[in-house]
């Protein structure tokens, strides 16, 4: 088994988040397309699993131009045998300020640790 670690930076967007996030998602999309194309060409796609991870989440409310640090975040798992298209565990009942998991300014406290996705 091989493990590859790839890192990208500049996701800490306190301002101009709309344009910057679109650019970062474009970079991520191109990188994943290239990697997946190569893995498929080598006949390894069905035995490949990829995941994203982050050291922090973002607030759901704006600070005026962007978002601030928070706890809950989103992770992706991709691969040849991954049956995707669903949310694991429980999606929050509300993303509005003042909801059950919100501790202020759209900072959601996660119900599960990130390792739960494994």
């Amino acid at each position: 088994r091989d493990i590859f670690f790839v890192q990208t930076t500049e996701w800490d967007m306190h301002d101009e988040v709309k344009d910057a996030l679109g650019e970062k998602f474009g970079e991520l999309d191109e990188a994943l397309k290239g990697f997946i194309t190569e893995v498929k060409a080598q006949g390894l796609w069905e035995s490949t699993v990829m995941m994203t991870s982050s050291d922090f989440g973002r607030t759901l409310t704006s600070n005026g131009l962007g978002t601030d640090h928070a706890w809950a975040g989103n992770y992706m798992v991709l691969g040849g045998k991954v049956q995707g298209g669903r949310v694991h565990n429980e999606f929050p009942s509300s993303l509005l300020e003042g909801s059950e998991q919100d501790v202020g300014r759209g900072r959601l406290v996660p119900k599960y640790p990130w390792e739960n996705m494994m």
Side-chain angles (χ1 to χ4, degrees):
R1 295 183 181 180
D2 293 319
I3 296 177
F4 298 93
F5 175 82
V6 179
Q7 180 176 338
T8 182
T9 61
E10 306 299 323
W11 289 87
D12 193 6
M13 299 169 198
H14 292 274
D15 58 12
E16 305 303 329
V17 70
K18 184 176 180 182
D19 293 334
L21 192 56
E23 184 178 318
K24 294 304 290 182
F25 280 149
E27 291 173 15
L28 179 62
D29 186 50
E30 287 301 312
L32 288 173
K33 282 181 187 175
F35 184 77
I36 291 169
T37 298
E38 180 60 30
V39 169
K40 285 181 177 180
Q42 293 185 27
L44 299 171
W45 179 240
E46 292 302 311
S47 61
T48 299
V49 176
M50 298 178 285
M51 64 171 265
T52 63
S53 179
S54 176
D55 59 340
F56 57 84
R58 305 302 298 186
T59 57
L60 296 177
T61 58
S62 174
N63 64 10
L65 294 173
T67 61
D68 291 318
H69 297 193
W71 296 288
N74 298 301
Y75 300 89
M76 294 183 290
V77 180
L78 316 131
K81 290 188 178 180
V82 174
Q83 296 176 7
R86 60 185 182 229
V87 173
H88 292 274
N89 295 318
E90 297 171 28
F91 195 77
S93 59
S94 172
L95 299 177
L96 298 175
E97 283 189 86
S99 67
E100 177 183 312
Q101 288 176 254
D102 180 43
V103 294
R105 288 216 41 248
R107 287 180 169 91
L108 297 186
V109 175
K111 286 188 175 182
Y112 305 94
W114 78 269
E115 299 93 339
N116 188 263
M117 68 180 207
M118 293 182 181

